[in-house]
Amino acid sequence: MLKNKVGAKEKLREIPSVDSIAKSPSGLSWAIKHPMTRVIRAIREVTEEARKAVMSGNDSIDVSMTALVPIIESRLNKLSSLSLIPLINATGIVIHTNLGRSALAPEAMLNVLLAAEGYSNLEYDLSQGHRGRRNSHLQRLLRETSGAEDGIAVNNNAGAVLLALNALAKGKEVIVSRGELVEIGGSFRIPDVMSASGAILREVGTTNKTHLSDYKAAINENTGLLLKVHPSNYRITGFSEEVSIEELGRIGQEYRIPVMYDLGGGCLMDLKPFGIHGEPTVREAVSAGADVVTFSGDKLLGGPQAGIIVGKSYLIEAISKHPIMRAMRIDKMTLAALEATLHIYADPERARAVIPTLRMLTESAEVILHRAKAIARLIKKTATNAKVEIVEGFSQAGGGSLPEVNLKTHLVSVIADGISANKIEAGLRLGRPPVIARIAEDRLLLDARTIGAHEIGTLADCVCAVLCGEA
Ligand SMILES: *Cc1c(COP(=O)(O)O)cnc(C)c1O
């Protein structure tokens, strides 16, 4: 015990001072590349950790300058690198919320750059020479793409729902089917959003069946809204029944109560010709009788994160004049991306080709196979110790969209002698750029659907770095 304490004291004295490390040849070279405050911070952190380790009884730790320098250097590199970085999505999940959902079309990206670079007429009416409205840039496009009378955009769809409920039904009852009281990823739960909005949830029907008569029976003088929610990543099948938006629209009209549809996905073009069924388009929801429709900008629409509200003019006006609107308004870069993306929809064929989310969702299995082959070929060339083959499988749309749609795809399967699939997966994830892959039956799987043609070379290098580094 006593010996240990003496050992620890000596060890503490061995830790080089911050100053001596900063003035060492390594310290001086760091100071050329990095701001001095950051160099000092890295040295302080690492020496302090060494001190703590010694104090807690670890007397085998090497605290010499030679041992600490590489640790400080990697800490310094970490402190100096960005946290949000691009990566390769090899999961095949197209609208992957954790990986940033939709990639933007080239012209949307360009428009973001232009908006970011300098001043713009964001809230300035050029024809009148005075203050204008942020939403004016989207109004016509939202009308065109949805068929609704009017439209606005806010920060995200969760915000859109919260705002619409608060503006249209605060203190009033909102009738929702029990089959639609869903949770959509993370923390968006309809009952919670409802209570946060100040509206009163009035549940009707049962989990599997809700009839028109259930809605009618619940209507009273304090009913503010009839709400329909797209169950997104969840489906009730079998002995089940729901009331369509057409029917809800009819009773809404009869009782003079607005009908709102939280659609989530925000599909602006018909995907049925590409074998993707079961997702109503925004236009269909509007024409079926929804007075207000809310949806995301970065799900099936394929644009930036945004929440879009379209519908009857008087309702959109009430929402846009609401004080919360100011707290939820979209940024100019988002607006730039959204406007450019919506423009593309004037030509649906082009939209499918240039909006990455739509392209990836509708791409044929043959085109995907072609890319999978190119990936496999390159990996085989560089990582000669691996067994690389192409297998068939399915991709997911993701983002709570189209849970029942199986998208046929081709995957590159990688098996390497002496390295488990888990280890390869971790190596790829921790590499630069990170590659996020799948694992099944102890094989590493790379889904070619979400891997861009321009990423193939980098991807092969990343796989090789993991396999060749280990061999
Ligand atoms: C995704 C989704 C939301 C939340 O949208 P965000 O854009 O992620 O905020 C709300 N409602 C439905 C039905 C959804 O699918």
Side-chain angles (χ1 to χ4, degrees):
M1 192 63 195
L2 190 68
K3 200 173 147 227
N4 274 352
K5 265 194 182 161
V6 174
K9 263 194 178 164
E10 274 171 16
K11 200 99 204 182
L12 286 179
R13 269 199 299 274
E14 277 174 38
I15 300 175
S17 70
V18 171
D19 195 52
S20 68
I21 301 176
K23 288 188 176 139
S24 71
S26 303
L28 295 174
S29 75
W30 297 334
I32 297 170
K33 278 206 298 192
H34 302 273
M36 203 55 206
T37 49
R38 199 168 270 164
V39 172
I40 298 296
R41 176 167 174 187
I43 299 175
R44 280 226 171 92
E45 276 184 18
V46 173
T47 50
E48 190 50 39
E49 281 161 20
R51 188 166 293 118
K52 281 195 181 133
V54 173
M55 303 271 270
S56 67
N58 181 352
D59 49 14
S60 60
I61 181 181
D62 186 352
V63 295
S64 65
M65 178 86 85
T66 330
L68 294 184
V69 157
I71 305 176
I72 298 169
E73 189 155 314
S74 80
R75 181 69 51 91
L76 192 51
N77 286 335
K78 204 170 156 198
L79 288 175
S80 301
S81 53
L82 291 171
S83 167
L84 178 66
I85 51 174
L87 55 72
I88 296 177
N89 174 10
T91 66
I93 300 170
V94 178
I95 308 169
H96 198 309
T97 298
N98 301 148
L99 305 186
R101 286 196 184 156
S102 287
L104 294 180
E107 55 221 79
M109 275 192 296
L110 182 63
N111 215 29
V112 173
L113 269 179
L114 294 174
E117 194 182 26
Y119 298 108
S120 59
N121 61 338
L122 178 65
E123 282 186 2
Y124 192 79
D125 184 332
L126 291 173
S127 64
Q128 302 294 317
H130 58 56
R131 188 184 170 161
R133 288 180 321 110
R134 189 174 290 242
N135 195 52
S136 64
H137 308 286
L138 297 173
Q139 208 163 25
R140 177 182 60 85
L141 288 166
L142 288 177
R143 282 183 189 138
E144 269 175 27
T145 49
S146 72
E149 290 174 13
D150 204 354
I152 50 168
V154 293
N155 182 58
N156 59 14
N157 190 38
V161 175
L162 181 69
L163 170 64
L165 287 174
N166 186 283
L168 305 178
K170 188 179 175 197
K172 292 188 178 170
E173 289 182 8
V174 176
I175 304 179
V176 193
S177 159
R178 288 197 170 90
E180 294 171 8
L181 293 176
V182 292
E183 170 175 319
I184 294 143
S187 49
F188 186 88
R189 303 172 117 192
I190 292 296
D192 298 346
V193 174
M194 191 76 76
S195 66
S197 76
I200 303 157
L201 173 63
R202 180 72 195 264
E203 317 174 13
V204 294
T206 61
T207 306
N208 59 328
K209 282 203 173 197
T210 302
H211 306 283
L212 196 57
S213 54
D214 294 325
Y215 286 92
K216 279 188 173 170
I219 292 175
N220 61 51
E221 68 282 356
N222 197 33
T223 303
L225 208 58
L226 305 179
L227 175 66
K228 187 167 179 64
V229 182
H230 190 288
S232 296
N233 45 10
Y234 170 78
R235 286 290 179 274
I236 298 170
T237 55
F239 187 66
S240 65
E241 197 172 314
E242 62 174 312
V243 176
S244 70
I245 195 71
E246 284 89 346
E247 292 171 292
L248 274 189
R250 270 197 293 278
I251 56 167
Q253 233 167 13
E254 187 184 328
Y255 291 87
R256 298 180 173 275
I257 299 167
V259 175
M260 173 165 143
Y261 194 178
D262 178 22
L263 200 51
C267 184
L268 290 183
M269 62 181 269
D270 189 8
L271 297 176
K272 285 194 271 304
F274 308 98
I276 297 174
H277 298 267
E279 187 68 29
T281 64
V282 174
R283 184 177 291 278
E284 280 162 1
V286 169
S287 72
D291 300 302
V292 179
V293 180
T294 54
F295 53 97
S296 291
D298 53 356
K299 288 185 181 171
L300 291 168
L301 195 156
Q305 179 190 303
I308 298 168
I309 313 175
V310 299
K312 296 267 161 65
S313 296
Y314 77 100
L315 296 170
I316 299 300
E317 184 163 324
I319 293 168
S320 57
K321 284 194 175 140
H322 193 280
I324 293 183
M325 180 68 198
R326 176 65 173 75
M328 291 196 181
R329 70 182 188 186
I330 56 170
D331 162 66
K332 64 184 173 190
M333 290 186 279
T334 306
L335 182 56
L338 188 55
E339 187 191 359
T341 307
L342 289 172
H343 258 288
I344 304 172
Y345 277 96
D347 179 352
E349 200 37 55
R350 218 181 135 251
R352 196 177 72 80
V354 303
I355 296 175
T357 297
L358 294 179
R359 179 181 53 71
M360 286 188 263
L361 282 173
T362 59
E363 207 159 50
S364 74
E366 293 77 63
V367 176
I368 297 172
L369 176 62
H370 190 72
R371 249 189 346 265
K373 280 184 178 164
I375 296 165
R377 209 178 307 122
L378 265 190
I379 294 178
K380 269 186 207 160
K381 211 155 63 181
T382 49
T384 45
N385 58 339
K387 181 168 170 243
V388 184
E389 57 187 7
I390 292 171
V391 296
E392 286 188 4
F394 294 99
S395 317
Q396 281 172 267
S401 311
L402 314 165
E404 288 168 315
V405 176
N406 281 326
L407 302 165
K408 200 165 160 259
T409 193
H410 294 276
L411 307 122
V412 178
S413 148
V414 180
I415 302 174
D417 272 346
I419 316 173
S420 70
N422 282 319
K423 215 161 169 202
I424 307 175
E425 184 275 334
L428 286 173
R429 177 160 41 80
L430 297 171
R432 288 294 177 270
V435 175
I436 311 300
R438 285 201 233 163
I439 294 179
E441 292 157 7
D442 208 38
R443 311 161 157 241
L444 182 96
L445 296 174
L446 305 165
D447 190 331
R449 181 182 296 273
T450 48
I451 299 164
H454 62 287
E455 292 172 327
I456 293 176
T458 311
L459 173 61
D461 289 344
C462 292
V463 174
C464 180
V466 173
L467 298 184
C468 309
E470 288 282 339

